[in-house]
Amino acid sequence: MKPTAILSEVWRNVATGTTRALACAGILTLIAAGTAVFDLTAITSLQHESRQWATSAAAIHIISGSKQIDPTTCANLTQTTGTTGGTTTNPIQAAGALKSNGEITLTAMPAAPLDAWQATPGLANVLGVGAREQTQPGVWISSQLAATLHAREGDDLPTTQGTMHISAVFPWGDDSRDQRLAYAIITPTPINAGQQWDECWATINPANPDAEDLLNTTATAIPGAAPATQTKQANTMLGTNPDLDTRYRQRTTRSMLAITPIAAFAIAIMATRARRIEIADDLHMGMPRQGILATNALETLAWTLPAILTATAITYTTARWTSGHANALTLTTIQLPALTAALIAAQIGAAIAITAIHDNQLFVFFKNRQ
């Protein structure tokens, strides 16, 4: 058959409803969009857990030891690399040292002195102090203390030791996290190689036991002193390791994505078998099977492509409505392999159905027609 004849035949069959394109597209759209959105819901739930894990300070790990922590080693933990799934990563995203520096008394609160801490610059990234605020001179206070004092970034705090400028307010909720920094004043202090500090704080996300063990390398033994304590989380409310990566890869909804290509395969077979008398008649009249295959392939594409494009649009719109544009692109991309496989599966199903039909079956099909 000539290409023009094939295209003409495809157009007539689609326009007259012979291919049942509208019904097939509607069914496939519902199945594809349904499974994609269902999987999308499971993924966004894991993303919510990941954000909650990070914002609750559960990803922060601490090792303590009075004047036993090397601040330089602590700061260098962020340069450690590891391998995850064949990809080189930095398991420790931020690290900084901390040490006690007595107390500070506000002139407005003479009966309630606040703990004073010194922190190496790297602790800013652990606590969530912004890059701009890190360049400003002054002290850091928690969001809890700022709310109590009705203070904000840029304000001055009169103390018995002089006026202190608030350069940053870091988020620190009133929950199960370590509350020692909740009502304290932290002064960023450059690292002095000759000094030992009290604690090393590090952000490890996702949880990584090997990375947690690296915190032990920051401690130095001092004769006669108690050894540095083992690492602990700043907040254990959400557990020690949610293992979100494994849960993402092993989510049950992931296997459900195979429903879409399987459905496309089945719909294509049924739609083609429904026209078996027509196809057998074409073969009986001498029409080449290659021409029939080409015609049917285009007809199948005429309903699978709109269905998949519509399902993709529904998936993206749902994801954007729930989690924003950037995340919607990521979530939609995750669904694309299954959606693309549906296009291929439908073509295979249609081809198999046509291959199984022969011209000598025409009278049997005609006799058994309903």
Side-chain angles (χ1 to χ4, degrees):
M1 296 178 65
K2 293 182 179 180
T4 53
I6 292 175
L7 293 175
S8 177
E9 181 72 11
V10 170
W11 169 253
R12 285 194 299 270
N13 289 339
V14 173
T16 59
T18 303
T19 61
R20 299 174 175 82
L22 188 60
C24 292
I27 296 172
L28 183 58
T29 298
L30 290 176
I31 294 174
T35 55
V37 171
F38 193 56
D39 185 54
L40 180 151
T41 302
I43 296 174
T44 53
S45 176
L46 291 175
Q47 288 180 332
H48 174 72
E49 284 191 50
S50 178
R51 287 191 295 269
Q52 188 179 18
W53 176 266
T55 57
S56 68
I60 298 176
H61 293 258
I62 306 168
I63 183 170
S64 304
S66 179
K67 294 182 174 56
Q68 297 181 59
I69 303 300
D70 184 352
T72 302
T73 303
C74 180
N76 290 337
L77 289 176
T78 57
Q79 300 177 20
T80 305
T81 58
T83 302
T84 302
T87 303
T88 301
T89 60
N90 293 87
I92 299 180
Q93 292 81 42
L98 196 68
K99 68 177 178 180
S100 177
N101 193 33
E103 295 180 337
I104 293 178
T105 302
L106 303 180
T107 55
M109 301 171 57
L114 302 175
D115 291 333
W117 295 88
Q118 287 181 307
T120 60
L123 193 70
N125 294 326
V126 177
L127 298 179
V129 176
R132 182 183 64 82
E133 289 80 1
Q134 293 180 33
T135 62
Q136 305 296 322
V139 297
W140 308 334
I141 64 172
S142 74
S143 54
Q144 290 186 60
L145 181 57
T148 300
L149 300 177
H150 300 286
R152 58 183 179 180
E153 177 192 324
D155 289 350
D156 292 326
L157 289 178
T159 74
T160 56
Q161 300 178 18
T163 301
M164 294 185 173
H165 180 74
I166 302 175
S167 63
V169 176
F170 60 90
W172 204 254
D174 183 13
D175 50 23
S176 299
R177 73 185 69 196
D178 191 322
Q179 290 294 305
R180 290 177 300 159
L181 301 186
Y183 290 88
I185 294 179
I186 303 174
T187 304
T189 306
I191 295 176
N192 186 329
Q195 294 181 349
Q196 296 291 93
W197 291 50
D198 299 331
E199 299 183 7
C200 179
W201 290 40
T203 301
I204 305 174
N205 191 20
N208 186 323
D210 293 333
E212 295 166 20
D213 291 340
L214 288 174
L215 266 70
N216 294 319
T217 64
T218 66
T220 56
I222 297 178
T229 60
Q230 293 181 342
T231 58
K232 64 177 183 179
Q233 287 175 258
N235 189 350
T236 58
M237 179 180 62
L238 300 179
T240 58
N241 185 0
D243 201 8
L244 296 174
D245 183 59
T246 300
R247 288 169 58 192
Y248 167 75
R249 287 184 281 104
Q250 296 180 355
R251 67 190 188 279
T252 55
T253 55
R254 185 177 188 176
S255 59
M256 293 181 62
L257 295 179
I259 292 175
T260 299
I262 292 174
F265 179 83
I267 294 171
I269 288 181
M270 289 186 292
T272 304
R273 289 287 299 176
R275 301 169 60 192
R276 57 189 179 276
I277 295 179
E278 173 194 340
I279 296 172
D281 185 48
D282 290 340
L283 291 170
H284 185 72
M285 291 188 298
M287 186 176 293
R289 188 179 294 272
Q290 292 79 1
I292 297 175
L293 285 169
T295 301
N296 197 264
L298 292 176
E299 291 172 357
T300 301
L301 186 64
W303 59 264
T304 53
L305 185 58
I308 295 305
L309 291 178
T310 302
T312 302
I314 292 173
T315 301
Y316 171 78
T317 302
T318 304
R320 181 166 185 172
W321 179 61
T322 57
S323 57
H325 171 68
N327 194 38
L329 289 176
T330 301
L331 293 174
T332 305
T333 301
I334 294 173
Q335 310 302 321
L336 286 181
L339 295 174
T340 304
L343 294 173
I344 301 172
Q347 294 293 335
I348 295 174
I352 290 175
I354 292 175
T355 303
I357 298 174
H358 302 280
D359 58 337
N360 57 9
Q361 297 174 300
L362 174 61
F363 298 108
V364 175
F365 290 155
F366 188 79
K367 181 179 179 181
N368 296 330
R369 74 190 186 281
Q370 295 181 355

